[in-house]
Amino acid sequence: MGLIAFLYGTICYVIFLVTFLYAIGFVGGILVPKSIDSGSPGALPEALIVDVVLLGLFAVQHSTMARHGFKQWWTRIVPQAVERSTYVLISSLLLALLFWKWQPLAGMLWSIETPAARIVFQGLFWLGGLIVLSSTFMINHFDLFGLRQVYLRLKNEPYRQLPFVQVALYRFIRHPIMLGFLIAFWATPDMSYGHLLFAVATTGYIFIGIWLEERDMRKAHGEAYERYRREASMIIPLP
């Protein structure tokens, strides 16, 4: 069973990795068959409904399955060693569904023509992606995406909860991954209305997710996390 769990977790991670790379192309309009602005815009009401439903499906799943109460119930059905991998898999599949069924919206909020300014915005987009990826390694990338759990199961060792640490960017801001997403979602030289909908909706979800996560972290770590909240800002690195 340990080998099966490890193979399952590895497959889930590969699916996540492909989805993450495609997400970069989808948002940035880079080297993918379908991006956020691909295709001909259809009827506005229909496109809005489809896009909002797709975003809502991901948001509800992503937040619900991350809650401690859900995990306690879910691990009665799914082995604890593959709980995180299953979460990653379902999140990745819902993102893939969003990429597939996303409907572009007609119109542009802004489109920057100056070459130098376009380079700046594109550079910020890649900076955001780099912050997201590097921040996962600042804590524990493999635990975050379920590989550590299935590796320990392969070795027949019990899962050990990672200690609460403040390292690298986490010393200054509590949610550098979310900071990276915000930069990547908003830094575009061509802000279509479809991209605007995506950016606004995901920004709202990010702050709801932060509120839910911090509530769980306060319960789990108590005064240590309260002290951390006083020492590090939420998103923007401030004194």
Side-chain angles (χ1 to χ4, degrees), residues 53-167:
V53 168
L54 290 169
L55 289 164
L57 282 173
F58 175 79
V60 170
Q61 174 272 327
H62 203 253
S63 287
T64 302
M65 292 189 70
R67 304 282 67 81
H68 180 68
F70 182 89
K71 291 179 182 180
Q72 285 184 315
W73 170 80
W74 185 231
T75 48
R76 297 174 189 171
I77 304 169
V78 175
Q80 191 166 10
V82 299
E83 177 270 326
R84 188 67 184 182
S85 293
T86 305
Y87 171 77
V88 169
L89 174 63
I90 296 174
S91 298
S92 300
L93 293 177
L94 285 174
L95 272 181
L97 177 65
L98 185 148
F99 302 151
W100 178 33
K101 291 298 184 180
W102 181 265
Q103 302 293 307
L105 302 181
M108 300 290 292
L109 182 63
W110 71 68
S111 182
I112 297 172
E113 302 296 336
T114 308
R118 292 185 68 86
I119 291 172
V120 169
F121 273 84
Q122 290 164 353
L124 286 171
F125 169 77
W126 287 107
L127 174 64
L130 180 61
I131 290 173
V132 170
L133 186 59
S134 62
S135 296
T136 67
F137 286 97
M138 293 172 195
I139 37 178
N140 191 308
H141 176 88
F142 301 106
D143 188 88
L144 188 63
F145 296 106
L147 281 180
R148 177 172 174 263
Q149 291 87 328
V150 295
Y151 176 70
L152 290 173
R153 179 67 182 86
L154 178 65
K155 295 175 65 179
N156 204 27
E157 294 181 10
Y159 176 73
R160 297 178 296 277
Q161 194 73 36
L162 293 171
F164 175 65
V165 294
Q166 299 170 235
V167 294

Side-chain angles (χ1 to χ4, degrees), residues 48 111 173 184 222 234:
L48 277 174
S111 182
I173 52 177
M234 179 189 291

